[in-house]
Every structure is written in structure tokens, then in C-alpha cells.
Amino acid sequence: MRTPFLFVTRSCNAVHRLQQSPFFSPISAPLRPQRIAVLRHTSTHLCKEDRSYYITTPIFYVNASPHLGHLYSAVLADCLHRYKLLQGFNSKFATGTDEHGLKIQQAADAAGKDPLTFCTEVSERFKHLFNSCDISYTDFIRTTEDRHRQAVEHFWTVLWSKGLIYKGSYEGWYSTQDESFLTPLQVADALDSTGKEIKVSLESGHKVEWMKEENYMFRLSAFRSQLLDWLRVNPAAVQPEHFYQAVLQWLQDELPDLSVSRQRNRLQWGIPVPGDPEQTIYVWLEALVNYLTVVGYPDKHEQWWHVAHHIVGKDILKFHAIYWPSFLLGAGLPLPQTIHVHSHWTVGGKKMSKSLGNVVDPLERSQMFTTDGMRYFLLRQGVPDSDCDYTDDKVIKLLNAELAYSLGGLLNRCTAPTLNPAQVYPSFCPQSFPVQQIVDLNSRAVVEDYQMLDSVKSLPALVEQHYESMHVYKALEAITVCVRQTNKFVQRHAPWKLDRRDNKDQRWLDTIIHVSFECLRIYGTLLQPIVPEISNKLLSRLSVQPGERSWTALNFLPRYQGMNCPFEGRALGSDSGVLFSHLESQNVDKQKPKKTKKQQK
């Protein structure tokens, strides 16, 4: 899956077979013509080369300020968005805030504010964090906006008109903190802080309460076989594999119908059910529709919706991989291309908690370690399959080693006036560094140098593969290995020891710098989605112009291949200082849990 066009080819080849599968079967006969028409329409869209791409984060709940996990979701999505832009896609990137629900209603009451004022204040904190961290979203959606209310009302009406929503009575467990309905198998006994027996969610550990009320139900039970077929036909629909298997496991059991509204006297802060002001639409049904709101549903969504990709945390996988696809199937809409799932962040090996005093403020840390520094750390250390651990000390050690010393040191060394007094992109000498098969007595290159060239030449394809699968940490590991190889190349040949008065030495010195610049140009281009400011600084220093920084410009060392190099002889850009400043180790224990008075005694 390198581009949506590749999706298209597979979709087109399989469409006849798929239309006969249960995934394409409606739940009732009257739906059959409409459902198949929708899916054929989708296939027609996908069978044309389409350079549109739509990436979303979850919309973040505004019951509290943003934390490290929120920033991680946003940085992952921003990386994918920037990468697609480099490839020439017309990419749309949406994030925002989820502002309805009982938790918000209660948090606003506790703060002594009306819900909208409370939501606006917290939403602005998210927006400020994302703007400060170079999150280049194209749309920031708030679920309190009128455009969202209109989209939700239309979506509800479509499901209602198809008989997929019915008035019923719900009796069962409900977690206010998770805004989630639970079956008896999903709860367990526990003790609260006072020793009182309570019931909690097995998945989140949050308290649940028994609820009985009359509300609206969605026929989730009717979609189990279609979900299974969708996943089996599209094994890359949920990534990584570990989470794909988890969804398949959930679907081994029958799906109970889902309560999709709350009584208005219990929940006032939300969108009323169309035609029934005594009921409020369930927060998850309403919130998920935000992805459609952003692309202009119900009138203007077709350009974007068939190329949708979601990034979500593992705690909300069920809502995105079971509830959301079921709602979409019911509404006759295409399903997301991919649901990319990531794990959580711990701090010093422990879950972030206000009571432990170890909550990491992402805005404060981005100011301490720079915006690009925090982006790099999160994407370098973040592993989608398993929880990742944060400490300030880890950040400092990683950024100093890989950005300040390895990458920054390489650029500084090769652009230093002592080695490059003319401050130009020097010439490449094919006699000094001939094609490996050619034996030349003037050759200065050794076996390790050719191995380095092979590594850097294959790097863009490797990085592309890892960006596509959202294994960004693997892409950064591959880049880091090549940067080390380039540093060893310079160290091995010690150009500062060459005699400039000797023509052969001068040509070899120029070649060393030329090859190193070409490596740096590739690294700078590939790193743009990760560290945009650092990449811009590096590429500007090499005098690589904005129009020469796209994915198609990743032609490594053309002079070695017998082609012209557009940069050769070009004056370097101005020296704006070190690429990334060394970080000192003060305040490294700032995130450690605060001692209580008893511990201090």
C-alpha cells in the first residue's frame, strides 16, 4: 500500500467477488439496491488514479488538559500528512475536540462554568499545543459547531429511515468515564479507595454503574458477519497485526444491539435526537461522525471519504473498528482504508496519574526540549504495538546522541570553512570514487564506502515502507544507521589531513564533501515529516531550494551514476548556527512522582 492508487487496483480486481460476499449484503431486502449502488460508486472512484488522502486523529475529550498521549496521536498523524504532501498528494488532515457527554457536563459543573465556556477553554489548550508543536492540521473540528450538529442529525436520520435504529429499553452496565456500555463479561468486582465494593470495567478499570432506561438502540447485532468479511478481505484494515487480531477475537462473540441515546433528563449536554427532544444522541455515535463532518457530509464528502485513514489509541479501538464500521455500513458509506492503532505512554514505568504527580505536560516539554526535539523523541521511541516509557533523561540522551552529535555534527563538520573555505557544494570526481566494477589506480574509495552508498541509495524505499505502515520508529532507526555510516566515512578518510596543494588530494577532498552533502540532502528530505524545522535548516544550509525537497527529488548521488548534479558548484546557504543544540541534564527528575507528606517524614 504505497498510494491510494495501489488500493484501487486491488479493489477493482476483487470487486465482483466482494459484491457477492456477506460484507456487501444488506441486512434487509429493501437495502440491497442502494447498498450495491453505493459500493459500485466507491469502486468507480477508486479505479481512477486519485491523489487525495484523508488522515484523522481522534477528536480529544475536553474533560481535562492535553497530555503526552494526545500529542503523540497528533504528531503521528502530522507525520503521515506531511509525508503524503511530499509525495504530491492532496492531503487533508483533521483533528479537534470532542465536547459533548456526561463527563463534560460533570466537569463543567465542578468548575462552576457553563459547558460551552468550559469546552472552549480546554479546546483552546489543545489548539495551542498543536500549533506550538507544528501540527499542520487543515481542519480543527469542535463537536459543538453547527456544521457538526447538521451532519449528525442527517446521519441519524439515514440510520432511522433504514430501520437500523429502534426505540427500546436498555438495562446494563455503563461507565461514565469511558462513555461506554458494557456487558456482564466486561465488568469485575473491585474495591474503591474507601474499601467499598464496586464494579469496574475490565478494560479500563473505571467504575461502572447499573443503568436502566428507555432509549434508542442500534442494530449492531446485524453487522457481525459483514465486519468479519470486511476484515478477512482487508487484512491491512487495522494495523498493527496485533490489534487486527484483537478485533477478530472480539467478533467471535455475538454483538448485542447498542444503546445510542440517553434520556435528556440524565444528559442535557449533547445533540437532541431528531424528532425526540426527550433523548440525547449517544456521545460515541455523535463523536465518530466528526470524520464525516470535516469532509462536507452529507453533500460534499465523496472526494475525501473513500481515502480515509484513522489514527487512534488502543483504548478506543472497539469504537473505531466495530461500532464505526457498523454505523457506516448501515448508512451505505465506504469504510476507512486503514485504522492505525498506537499504544500508550507510561512515565518512569508507571501509568500517568495526577495522584502520582507524574503527568507530563507536553507543552512544557516541547519548550524545554524544542518542538522538533519532542516530535523526534515521540516518533523515535513510540512503538505502536506496545506501551512506551517516557523520562526526561531518555529525551536528553536520545536527542544529544542522534540530533546534536550525529546528524548535527556531520553537517557542521562538512560545512566548516576549514574543510570548505569556498562554501560551495563541491565537485564529485569519478576517478577518485569510480563505479565499483571499474578498477582505477586513482581510486581512493574502499569497500565500506560502497556499502554506505548502497545503504543510502536504498534508504528512501525503506523509509517509505515504514512511513506507510506507520512504523515511524523503524524509519528513524534506518536513517540513524545511515547517518552513522556517513560519519564513519568522513572519519575514515580524514579530509582535514589532505594536502590542498596536491590536485589529486583536492579532488578527493571535494569528493568526500560532495558525497557527504548528498547523504545529508537525502536525510534532510526524508526527515521533513518528523522534524520540519531541523530539516529546513539543514536543507537551506545545503542550498536545496523548496522546490527540490519533494519525494521525487530523492535521486541520490547522480554524478556517481554519470548524470549531472544540479547542486554541484552551488554556493551554500547562510550559516544559521548549530543544527540542534546540546541539551544539559538539569531538571531531568522533574517528572518523578512528588513525595507525600508521610514519605517526606
Side-chain angles (χ1 to χ4, degrees):
M1 177 179 82
R2 295 176 63 179
T3 70
F5 182 60
L6 295 183
F7 276 126
V8 176
T9 307
R10 291 198 290 269
S11 298
C12 295
N13 290 341
V15 70
H16 178 71
R17 177 169 56 89
L18 290 178
Q19 286 176 342
Q20 298 180 23
S21 79
F23 169 47
F24 285 89
S25 300
I27 50 178
S28 59
L31 293 182
R32 181 177 299 276
Q34 183 177 6
R35 178 69 61 81
I36 293 177
V38 168
L39 291 162
R40 281 178 180 157
H41 177 64
T42 301
S43 300
T44 302
H45 267 292
L46 291 174
C47 289
K48 299 173 184 177
E49 180 164 8
D50 192 334
R51 303 297 285 177
S52 298
Y53 198 89
Y54 177 38
I55 178 73
T56 72
T57 70
I59 48 172
F60 302 107
Y61 218 38
V62 294
N63 61 317
S65 294
H67 57 62
L68 197 66
H70 297 135
L71 180 59
Y72 180 53
S73 293
V75 169
L76 272 172
D78 184 66
C79 173
L80 186 54
H81 171 62
R82 289 174 182 269
Y83 158 66
K84 286 297 173 181
L85 290 175
L86 285 177
Q87 287 194 315
F89 280 78
N90 179 18
S91 179
K92 183 184 284 288
F93 167 24
T95 189
T97 45
D98 182 1
E99 303 182 17
H100 286 138
L102 191 56
K103 267 198 298 188
I104 304 298
Q105 187 174 299
Q106 293 172 345
D109 288 343
K113 298 175 180 177
D114 71 88
L116 185 57
T117 299
F118 177 83
C119 290
T120 299
E121 289 177 359
V122 182
S123 181
E124 285 300 316
R125 290 177 210 157
F126 278 92
K127 190 177 284 190
H128 178 58
L129 171 66
F130 294 164
N131 290 341
S132 298
C133 292
D134 282 342
I135 306 301
S136 55
Y137 56 82
T138 57
D139 199 311
F140 190 97
I141 175 76
R142 295 181 58 187
T143 56
T144 47
E145 294 178 46
D146 190 55
R147 60 170 173 158
H148 182 62
R149 177 187 57 78
Q150 292 175 14
V152 171
E153 289 174 348
H154 184 89
F155 193 80
W156 177 281
T157 303
V158 170
L159 295 179
W160 172 263
S161 68
K162 292 185 176 186
L164 296 173
I165 292 176
Y166 62 94
K167 196 75 175 281
S169 179
Y170 176 80
E171 183 173 359
W173 297 106
Y174 184 76
S175 167
T176 298
Q177 204 161 350
D178 299 326
E179 301 279 14
S180 176
F181 299 95
L182 302 166
T183 67
L185 295 176
Q186 294 174 308
V187 302
D189 295 318
L191 299 176
D192 66 12
S193 57
T194 65
K196 180 182 175 182
E197 290 187 359
I198 59 170
K199 294 282 188 181
V200 297
S201 164
L202 282 171
E203 188 171 345
S204 68
H206 295 146
K207 182 181 176 181
V208 300
E209 297 174 323
W210 188 261
M211 186 186 77
K212 182 177 182 180
E213 63 181 37
E214 186 179 80
N215 50 27
Y216 289 92
M217 308 291 290
F218 173 75
R219 299 185 191 278
L220 184 66
S221 56
F223 291 92
R224 178 170 166 266
S225 63
Q226 294 182 64
L227 293 175
L228 282 168
D229 280 335
W230 166 57
L231 291 169
R232 287 167 179 159
V233 171
N234 300 279
V238 177
Q239 299 180 21
E241 168 76 11
H242 166 71
F243 296 111
Y244 170 80
Q245 293 299 333
V247 178
L248 285 178
Q249 187 61 43
W250 289 333
L251 289 170
Q252 297 313 302
D253 299 322
E254 294 297 322
L255 295 176
D257 285 356
L258 180 68
S259 175
V260 288
S261 73
R262 302 295 308 276
Q263 289 180 355
R264 195 74 178 169
N265 58 6
R266 289 177 183 258
L267 175 60
Q268 298 84 45
W269 186 238
I271 299 174
V273 167
D276 189 349
E278 299 303 312
Q279 294 274 329
T280 302
I281 296 176
Y282 172 52
V283 65
W284 269 105
L285 170 57
E286 181 230 309
L288 288 163
V289 176
N290 94 86
Y291 303 130
L292 287 168
T293 302
V294 168
V295 293
Y297 180 83
D299 303 316
K300 302 174 182 178
H301 59 284
E302 291 186 354
Q303 176 188 355
W304 298 102
W305 187 243
H306 67 281
V307 288
H309 301 258
H310 299 317
I311 287 182
V312 302
K314 66 179 183 180
D315 56 318
I316 53 175
L317 175 57
K318 184 173 292 183
F319 300 98
H320 284 82
I322 294 181
Y323 296 173
W324 182 224
S326 298
F327 296 153
L328 290 169
L329 285 168
L333 292 168
L335 302 190
Q337 294 274 301
T338 320
I339 301 170
H340 293 287
V341 189
H342 67 75
S343 296
H344 293 166
W345 284 85
T346 57
V347 179
K350 296 180 180 179
K351 185 178 179 180
M352 273 188 279
S353 164
K354 287 183 180 178
S355 60
L356 289 176
N358 67 345
V359 176
V360 174
D361 181 343
L363 182 61
E364 179 190 24
R365 291 315 195 274
S366 69
Q367 292 166 346
M368 184 185 301
F369 303 130
T370 76
T371 293
D372 273 5
M374 274 305 290
R375 290 173 62 100
Y376 187 87
F377 175 81
L378 291 173
L379 294 173
R380 179 75 166 91
Q381 294 292 108
V383 179
D385 305 75
S386 57
D387 288 350
C388 314
D389 192 55
Y390 177 95
T391 68
D392 286 340
D393 194 43
K394 284 182 181 178
V395 179
I396 290 169
K397 287 179 179 176
L398 177 72
L399 300 185
N400 280 342
E402 297 189 2
L403 293 184
Y405 301 149
S406 192
L407 184 65
L410 178 62
L411 177 67
N412 187 58
R413 178 183 282 182
C414 294
T415 56
T418 50
L419 276 187
N420 191 345
Q423 289 292 283
V424 296
Y425 210 110
S427 300
F428 177 86
C429 176
Q431 288 73 39
S432 299
F433 207 139
V435 175
Q436 194 168 9
Q437 289 77 13
I438 299 175
V439 178
D440 192 325
L441 295 177
N442 293 314
S443 172
R444 303 281 190 100
V446 297
V447 173
E448 292 83 358
D449 302 336
Y450 291 101
Q451 292 172 345
M452 179 194 72
L453 295 194
D454 289 340
S455 296
V456 180
K457 183 180 179 182
S458 61
L459 185 61
L462 186 59
V463 168
E464 180 176 356
Q465 173 191 331
H466 294 319
Y467 280 171
E468 289 286 351
S469 66
M470 291 308 293
H471 286 98
V472 184
Y473 74 100
K474 290 184 179 180
L476 288 176
E477 173 60 30
I479 294 171
T480 299
V481 168
C482 285
V483 173
R484 291 195 196 110
Q485 283 182 295
T486 311
N487 270 307
K488 288 178 181 178
F489 165 70
V490 175
Q491 190 67 33
R492 182 162 54 246
H493 294 293
W496 50 88
K497 293 183 180 179
L498 295 173
D499 184 358
R500 294 178 179 281
R501 295 166 298 181
D502 182 283
N503 286 335
K504 290 183 179 180
D505 273 9
Q506 181 62 56
R507 287 196 294 271
W508 177 229
L509 188 154
D510 288 345
T511 300
I512 294 170
I513 303 301
H514 181 99
V515 171
S516 300
F517 279 1
E518 279 292 281
C519 292
L520 281 164
R521 181 176 64 83
I522 298 299
Y523 307 149
T525 303
L526 295 175
L527 285 169
Q528 288 175 102
I530 314 289
V531 282
E533 291 182 18
I534 287 174
S535 294
N536 178 58
K537 193 172 183 179
L538 187 158
L539 294 171
S540 295
R541 183 72 172 107
L542 298 181
S543 202
V544 180
Q545 301 307 303
E548 300 169 323
R549 302 178 181 186
S550 69
W551 213 258
T552 57
L554 287 166
N555 179 23
F556 174 59
L557 202 57
R559 291 284 283 112
Y560 178 74
Q561 304 168 52
M563 298 183 287
N564 291 328
C565 174
F567 309 103
E568 196 171 70
R570 187 182 294 184
L572 296 183
S574 60
D575 184 358
S576 55
V578 296
L579 189 64
F580 188 86
S581 297
H582 170 80
L583 296 169
E584 299 298 332
S585 294
Q586 71 257 16
N587 302 321
V588 295
D589 296 324
K590 211 170 183 182
Q591 82 283 353
K592 288 186 177 178
K594 297 173 183 175
K595 290 186 177 181
T596 64
K597 290 183 179 178
K598 283 185 178 180
Q599 289 173 320
Q600 289 171 345
K601 289 177 181 177

